[in-house]
């Protein structure tokens, strides 16, 4: 996962919506949605809950915050 992917996954795990993530990262909601679709495919997640579990298990917050 790229740095941007880690950041998006971190925000997902914090419960942020696509719009909130987009606003925070200065990207469109559509761009965030496209990135999330790709991230879910890479980590084999079906939804935000599975993505959050992945983020917790793989310590995404630590990875993102240390970049």
């Amino acid at each position: 996962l790229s740095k941007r992917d880690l950041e998006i996954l971190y925000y997902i795990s914090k419960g942020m919506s696509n719009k909130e993530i987009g606003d925070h990262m200065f990207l469109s909601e559509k761009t965030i949605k496209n990135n999330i679709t790709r991230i879910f495919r890479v980590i084999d997640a079906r939804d935000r809950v599975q993505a959050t579990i992945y983020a917790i298990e793989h310590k995404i917050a630590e990875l993102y915050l240390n970049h």
Side-chain angles (χ1 to χ4, degrees):
L1 297 172
S2 70
K3 183 177 181 201
R4 177 184 279 184
D5 294 340
L6 292 174
E7 186 174 4
I8 292 170
L9 195 50
Y10 171 74
Y11 292 138
I12 289 171
S13 74
K14 295 299 180 189
M16 293 174 73
S17 70
N18 292 356
K19 179 167 180 6
E20 290 171 325
I21 296 169
D23 290 348
H24 191 76
M25 296 179 70
F26 305 103
L27 297 168
S28 74
E29 189 173 352
K30 176 71 172 157
T31 298
I32 296 301
K33 184 177 181 194
N34 289 338
N35 278 282
I36 289 172
T37 298
R38 188 179 43 73
I39 291 166
F40 281 13
R41 191 174 31 233
V42 169
I43 67 172
D44 195 30
R46 289 187 304 267
D47 55 33
R48 287 176 178 262
V49 172
Q50 286 187 337
T52 298
I53 291 168
Y54 179 93
I56 292 167
E57 289 176 346
H58 292 87
K59 298 179 178 27
I60 297 300
E62 292 174 23
L63 289 172
Y64 166 67
L65 295 173
N66 288 329
H67 269 91

